[in-house]
């Protein structure tokens, strides 16, 4: 059973079908004058219009990138460097951002002299909007707050946070990568100025994402070259992957409610099991304001890698919290920011369900998890620790 949909999802068959003609027939360069080029350009325009229709924004505000990491870097670096020229030299984000946000912010701090303010998070990994309000100043260049957290699934109230930023005249970015499948994504409702997505989290191909940029907001490009993507992201457009992203987004939007309603109870079954049957365990992230496919836990005196290996042997692919942490012996930065000490934060487990998940998989998982945790504690001599 594949329970790691927050790391990546399989590409939907319908998405593969939609992409194939753009490898085989319509392979022209959208910048070429001949009819192969014109056909490719028409398909590119159509895909951009479809995405814009789904997000309820202007097609010109959609820039295709290589994925959410690039979108985050482009949004933050691109805007911060422009805003620095106006004297705005402060950045605000949270300690529970994805590394592609946090490390871009840190780079801006080290290389360009920005002052980075990290807002505190509570035990659920959520910020208090009044902390954001107090941190904002006339020197704030931008704010970035993750929509739904990849490790613990907690959701932030993006429209409220964006409204606070706008009252202070500060642009607001959100990394919506984990939210795309399950949460509202209308730009007018979210009120964001910048928003990042990556297609492989919503059953699209890897290597393609997008950045929404509010019309009128000027960014410095990361790369320099041709005038593709409104001059913001040079290089010949990867048309097949762009078509795949648009198709995957359309399907995700049309199936969102049904999938959320199907997966929510299965997620709750796992949460209930852990709460009742696994000693010295706790749910990480918010119990209610969380993604419907996402259950995450910390087990005291358990090593995540031992747990993941034992689950793998039983046929379950889960993760410790984030795919980017593979091989990293340090406790999760996100869990530490939420106040968990080392004896807990080294034992994290993320179970992220998806379109292929069935009730019988969940039942089997619930049958084996408590005994696996117990066995690992016995083997490591930690069964009776407190
Ligand atoms: N942002 C979040 C919240 C993520 O979960 C991920 C992927 O794990 C990314 C950004 C990076 O996405 P990509 O692999 O498309 O660069």
């Amino acid at each position: 059973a594949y329970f790691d949909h927050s790391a990546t999802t399989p590409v939907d068959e319908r998405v593969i079908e939609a992409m194939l003609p753009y490898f085989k027939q319509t392979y022209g360069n959208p910048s070429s004058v001949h009819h192969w080029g014109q056909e490719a350009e028409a398909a590119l325009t159509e895909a951009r219009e479809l995405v814009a229709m789904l997000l309820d924004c202007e097609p010109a505000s959609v820039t295709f990138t290589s994925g959410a990491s690039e979108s985050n870097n482009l949004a933050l670096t691109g805007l911060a460097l422009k805003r620095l020229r106006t004297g705005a030299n402060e950045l605000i984000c949270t300690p529970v951002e994805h590394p592609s946000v946090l490390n871009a912010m840190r780079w801006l701090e080290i290389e360009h002299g920005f002052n980075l303010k990290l807002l505190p998070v509570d035990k659920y990994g959520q910020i208090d909007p009044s902390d954001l309000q107090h941190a904002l100043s006339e020197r704030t260049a931008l704010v970035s707050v993750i929509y739904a957290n990849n490790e613990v699934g907690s959701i932030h109230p993006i429209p409220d946070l964006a409204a606070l930023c706008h009252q202070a005249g500060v642009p607001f970015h959100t990394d919506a990568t984990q939210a795309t499948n399950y949460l509202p994504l209308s730009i007018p409702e979210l009120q964001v100025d910048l928003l990042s997505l990556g297609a492989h989290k919503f059953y699209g191909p890897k290597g393609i994402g997008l950045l929404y940029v509010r019309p009128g907001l000027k960014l410095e490009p990361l790369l320099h070259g041709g005038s593709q993507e409104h001059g913001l992201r040079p290089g010949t457009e990867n048309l097949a992957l762009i078509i795949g992203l648009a198709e995957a987004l359309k399907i995700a939007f049309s199936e969102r409610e049904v999938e959320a309603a199907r997966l929510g109870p299965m997620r709750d079954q796992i949460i209930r099991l852990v709460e009742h049957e696994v000693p010295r365990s706790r749910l990480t992230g918010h119990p209610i304001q969380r993604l419907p496919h996402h259950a995450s836990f910390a087990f005291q005196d358990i090593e995540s890698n031992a747990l993941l290996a034992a689950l793998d042997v039983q046929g379950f692919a889960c993760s410790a919290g984030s795919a980017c942490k593979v091989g990293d012996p340090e406790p999760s930065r996100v869990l530490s920011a939420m106040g968990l000490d080392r004896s807990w934060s080294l034992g994290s487990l993320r179970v992220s369900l998806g379109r292929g998940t069935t009730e019988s998989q969940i039942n089997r998982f619930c049958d084996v998890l408590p005994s696996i945790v117990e066995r690992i504690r016995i083997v490591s001599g930690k069964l009776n620790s407190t």
Side-chain angles (χ1 to χ4, degrees):
Y2 182 78
F3 287 168
D4 202 10
H5 291 82
S6 291
T8 196
T9 55
V11 183
D12 190 291
E13 276 299 331
R14 294 164 287 183
V15 171
I16 295 174
E17 283 303 312
M19 287 195 296
L20 282 179
Y22 298 91
F23 291 110
K24 291 179 173 175
Q25 290 124 31
T26 312
Y27 53 79
N29 185 326
S31 300
S32 297
V33 172
H34 49 67
H35 84 267
W36 274 277
Q38 285 174 26
E39 270 178 29
E41 195 194 6
L44 176 62
T45 302
E46 216 175 285
R48 198 187 307 280
E49 284 172 356
L50 173 57
V51 167
M53 193 265 288
L54 295 166
L55 299 179
D56 200 2
C57 66
E58 293 291 313
S61 59
V62 174
T63 296
F64 293 111
T65 65
S66 65
S69 294
E70 184 189 334
S71 299
N72 287 337
N73 275 269
L74 177 57
L76 305 175
T77 307
L79 184 59
L81 294 182
K82 271 273 190 258
R83 299 262 299 153
L84 188 59
R85 294 189 199 139
T86 68
N89 65 350
E90 287 180 2
L91 305 167
I92 300 177
C93 75
T94 81
V96 297
E97 299 300 316
H98 187 266
S100 55
V101 168
L102 204 56
N103 291 340
M105 293 286 209
R106 293 235 154 92
W107 180 82
L108 287 163
E109 187 182 34
I110 293 164
E111 298 294 332
H112 292 275
F114 282 91
N115 174 24
L116 174 60
K117 293 182 184 169
L118 288 183
L119 301 170
V121 292
D122 62 16
K123 62 179 176 178
Y124 300 131
Q126 293 169 312
I127 61 164
D128 181 340
S130 69
D131 286 331
L132 171 59
Q133 195 165 20
H134 291 127
L136 287 162
S137 80
E138 69 281 359
R139 301 180 75 79
T140 311
L142 61 88
V143 173
S144 183
V145 177
I146 194 164
Y147 192 173
N149 185 268
N150 44 313
E151 287 193 42
V152 298
S154 296
I155 298 167
H156 272 120
I158 295 303
D160 300 345
L161 303 178
L164 287 177
C165 291
H166 292 158
Q167 280 161 22
V170 173
F172 181 83
H173 166 259
T174 192
D175 175 358
T177 308
Q178 293 287 342
T180 316
N181 265 328
Y182 301 108
L183 302 181
L185 223 65
S186 146
I187 299 290
E189 276 174 35
L190 292 175
Q191 294 188 47
V192 293
D193 301 291
L194 302 128
L195 175 142
S196 306
L197 298 183
H200 73 98
K201 307 287 189 187
F202 51 95
Y203 303 87
K206 294 169 182 61
I208 186 78
L210 70 80
L211 176 65
Y212 161 79
V213 183
R214 177 170 55 77
L217 204 58
K218 294 275 173 266
L219 305 192
E220 203 60 64
L222 293 179
L223 303 174
H224 302 280
S227 60
Q228 292 95 342
E229 296 301 301
H230 338 291
L232 202 51
R233 209 275 184 168
T236 303
E237 298 88 346
N238 196 333
L239 185 55
L241 297 194
I242 290 171
I243 298 290
L245 179 150
E247 184 67 17
L249 195 63
K250 185 179 84 183
I251 296 168
F253 275 41
S254 71
E255 299 186 353
R256 178 196 286 154
E257 280 171 27
V258 171
E259 250 325 74
R262 191 180 78 85
L263 295 178
M266 295 200 234
R267 172 204 64 183
D268 293 341
Q269 186 182 338
I270 297 174
I271 293 176
R272 273 197 309 275
L273 168 96
V274 172
E275 279 174 353
H276 294 128
E277 311 263 333
V278 184
R280 290 188 289 134
S281 66
R282 57 171 78 163
L283 178 72
T284 54
H286 199 280
I288 295 157
Q289 292 155 14
R290 67 181 301 126
L291 290 166
H293 75 300
H294 188 296
S296 56
F297 307 97
F299 301 101
Q300 195 179 29
D301 294 331
I302 284 277
E303 241 247 61
S304 292
N305 282 344
L307 181 55
L308 296 181
L311 285 168
D312 194 27
V313 169
Q314 295 290 326
F316 297 102
C318 301
S319 89
S322 112
C324 309
K325 262 186 77 243
V326 171
D328 186 349
E330 285 306 302
S332 150
R333 161 178 59 75
V334 169
L335 297 182
S336 300
M338 289 161 55
L340 266 71
D341 74 30
R342 224 181 140 81
S343 75
W344 287 92
S345 57
L346 283 174
S348 56
L349 175 70
R350 177 180 71 184
V351 187
S352 49
L353 316 178
R355 287 186 195 154
T357 305
T358 62
E359 277 179 25
S360 71
Q361 290 175 343
I362 300 291
N363 291 337
R364 214 163 64 76
F365 183 77
C366 290
D367 283 344
V368 301
L369 183 67
S371 58
I372 288 180
V373 172
E374 187 180 10
R375 210 172 335 117
I376 294 172
R377 283 187 176 138
I378 291 172
V379 169
S380 62
K382 296 282 179 70
L383 187 59
N384 297 315
S385 306
T386 50

